[in-house]
Amino acid sequence: MKIGNIEFGNQPLFLAPMEDVTDIGFRKLCKRFGADMMYTEFVSAEAIIRNIKSTLDKMVIDDDERPVGIQIYGRDVESMVEAAKIVETVKPDLIDINFGCPVKKVAGKGAGAGMLKNIPLMLDITREVVKAVKLPVTVKTRLGWDLNNLIITDLAEQLQDCGIQALTIHGRTRSQMYTGEADWTLIGEVKRNPRIHIPIIGNGDITTPEQAEQAFERFGVDAIMVGRASFGRPWVFKEMRDYLDAASGACSETAAPLTIDDKIDVLKEQLLINMERIDEYRGILHTRRHLASSPIFKNIPNFRQTRIAMLRADKADELMAILEQCRAILKEIP
Ligand SMILES: Cc1cc2nc3c(=O)[nH]c(=O)nc-3n(C[C@H](O)[C@H](O)[C@H](O)COP(=O)(O)O)c2cc1C
């Protein structure tokens, strides 16, 4: 499948844009393990225009993580157009517009998923951004505002008519925030609509290789976007890719899975990357979410105490030592 001129292989797996998670260091780890497309954290159009340093820092991309999209959000046509033009100068592979963020500070002000309450404005912004830049423009959104307003089937056509080159659908409404289960049936419906010719990227609750395969098989999506399942597990893309390739016969030999040693090494590397990019203390804080969520520790007996120590450690040496203890324990478990 293709987005603009970007060619993807069979059944591509995308890393979801996630605020405070998909920084450049994490994106590169996911890339190493086979993620086919990266997105930055979302960046505010207003903040881009006002030249806010912390926002501009989020737009730093590296050639070896390509293809990479910069995701923007905002609530009016002028600022979104101006921001998109600035983003274009950074030369990402595409610009993604966020019409899906449910949090109050964004949706409450009419941006992100808030735009699901103002479809004419959403379409205006999309049309004008598409016109303003040469890069492919894509959109990420949800099924609708709430279960009484599941508008995605029509909305997908309207957005396509604005000239976007791919659409990502998170199978939840704004009201659901992140609760309940993602509903993929409407995503499948959009994909089956004969009027839709742009790639449809399905998103929501894909955490295992089996679920990824099912989502491709049952709903026919062109790509799958993986978010939270990558926390503390950037190798999830390799697990999914190896499984999909084996299932489709694309690869006759079973690829070797990562060992515990490999995985602990990856987490340590992630910590080092974050400390180097930010500083020791904040780099540790930034890595905690991943350590707290990593599935590799779940086999450690009475992990609770170790987990508390891991999440309290505020010095690199201390945290590295805890990770080494975990490695030793995990290697003893048959
Ligand atoms: C911590 C966090 C931050 C997120 N930030 C963004 C964001 O900046 N832009 C966006 O489009 N979606 C954002 N999302 C939503 C994810 O991209 C994704 O749609 C959602 O997590 C569902 O996918 P998953 O079940 O695979 O995690 C965020 C989600 C989480 C958990």
Side-chain angles (χ1 to χ4, degrees):
M1 79 101 162
K2 268 173 94 170
I3 300 179
N5 288 326
I6 315 166
E7 285 272 9
F8 295 95
N10 210 17
Q11 300 184 317
L13 301 166
F14 291 4
L15 173 65
M18 288 183 285
E19 185 185 21
D20 216 25
V21 177
T22 51
D23 52 71
I24 191 164
F26 188 63
R27 296 199 302 268
K28 283 190 185 184
L29 282 178
C30 292
K31 175 84 183 180
R32 184 193 304 165
F33 292 112
D36 293 289
M37 175 81 198
M38 307 289 148
Y39 296 85
T40 61
E41 306 168 60
F42 70 172
V43 283
S44 146
E46 298 289 343
I48 294 173
I49 294 165
R50 281 189 279 121
N51 233 354
I52 306 289
K53 185 178 178 307
S54 56
T55 298
L56 301 184
D57 286 348
K58 289 182 184 169
M59 304 199 319
V60 174
I61 52 174
D62 213 66
D63 275 343
D64 55 18
E65 56 169 322
R66 290 184 187 280
V68 56
I70 294 184
Q71 191 192 55
I72 58 173
Y73 71 96
R75 56 182 172 162
D76 64 73
V77 177
E78 293 72 25
S79 60
M80 287 293 274
V81 164
E82 197 179 338
K85 286 181 180 164
I86 297 170
V87 169
E88 192 166 42
T89 64
V90 179
K91 300 193 168 65
D93 297 274
L94 59 79
I95 296 177
D96 189 64
I97 306 180
N98 178 314
F99 292 136
C101 178
V103 304
K104 224 173 174 179
K105 71 172 187 200
V106 175
K109 292 182 183 154
M115 211 58 82
L116 288 163
K117 283 202 144 172
N118 190 347
I119 301 302
L121 180 57
M122 179 196 280
L123 298 178
D124 261 0
I125 289 177
T126 308
R127 205 177 296 113
E128 295 306 317
V129 169
V130 167
K131 264 200 252 162
V133 296
K134 292 199 181 69
L135 286 172
V137 175
T138 59
V139 162
K140 178 166 179 279
T141 190
R142 292 185 172 227
L143 303 177
W145 179 261
D146 58 24
L147 291 172
N148 296 320
N149 294 283
L150 296 171
I151 55 167
I152 193 63
T153 322
D154 287 341
L155 180 60
E157 288 192 15
Q158 293 170 303
L159 287 166
Q160 175 177 273
D161 292 345
C162 293
I164 61 166
Q165 308 224 21
L167 175 65
T168 304
I169 306 170
H170 176 189
R172 285 190 174 82
T173 63
R174 189 272 166 177
S175 300
Q176 284 174 302
M177 307 292 284
Y178 291 96
T179 61
E181 272 177 33
D183 176 0
W184 276 68
T185 49
L186 281 175
I187 302 176
E189 207 170 282
V190 171
K191 180 59 207 168
R192 279 196 310 277
N193 177 352
R195 270 215 65 220
I196 292 289
H197 54 77
I198 54 171
I200 299 298
I201 302 149
N203 169 239
D205 296 350
I206 302 297
T207 62
T208 65
E210 292 80 1
Q211 287 170 351
E213 190 204 16
Q214 279 273 310
F216 278 118
E217 292 298 316
R218 284 185 59 197
F219 303 106
V221 289
D222 298 284
I224 286 174
M225 182 180 274
V226 176
R228 290 164 294 178
S230 66
F231 292 2
R233 188 187 171 200
W235 52 83
V236 70
F237 294 99
K238 172 177 159 52
E239 293 174 347
M240 290 181 175
R241 172 60 50 219
D242 290 347
Y243 185 89
L244 290 168
D245 284 354
S248 70
C251 185
S252 53
E253 280 174 39
T254 319
L258 262 63
T259 62
I260 280 296
D261 271 329
D262 297 332
K263 292 176 182 174
I264 295 274
D265 286 346
V266 171
L267 294 181
K268 285 177 72 174
E269 184 182 349
Q270 191 174 354
L271 175 62
L272 290 173
I273 290 172
N274 287 335
M275 291 194 307
E276 200 171 306
R277 191 174 59 85
I278 323 173
D279 60 42
E280 178 175 350
Y281 178 63
R282 287 182 305 145
I284 289 172
L285 292 188
H286 192 67
T287 316
R288 277 186 187 161
R289 184 202 300 265
H290 293 274
L291 296 177
S293 322
S294 184
I296 64 172
F297 303 119
K298 71 174 193 295
N299 293 332
I300 296 184
N302 306 319
F303 180 56
R304 200 166 161 268
Q305 285 313 316
T306 314
R307 187 172 187 274
I308 291 171
M310 195 186 269
L311 298 183
R312 277 199 186 139
D314 55 10
K315 292 274 180 305
D317 292 353
E318 192 188 350
L319 189 47
M320 290 292 186
I322 296 171
L323 288 171
E324 285 309 324
Q325 279 167 19
C326 291
R327 186 200 302 268
I329 297 169
L330 284 167
K331 284 177 79 170
E332 298 224 326
I333 297 173

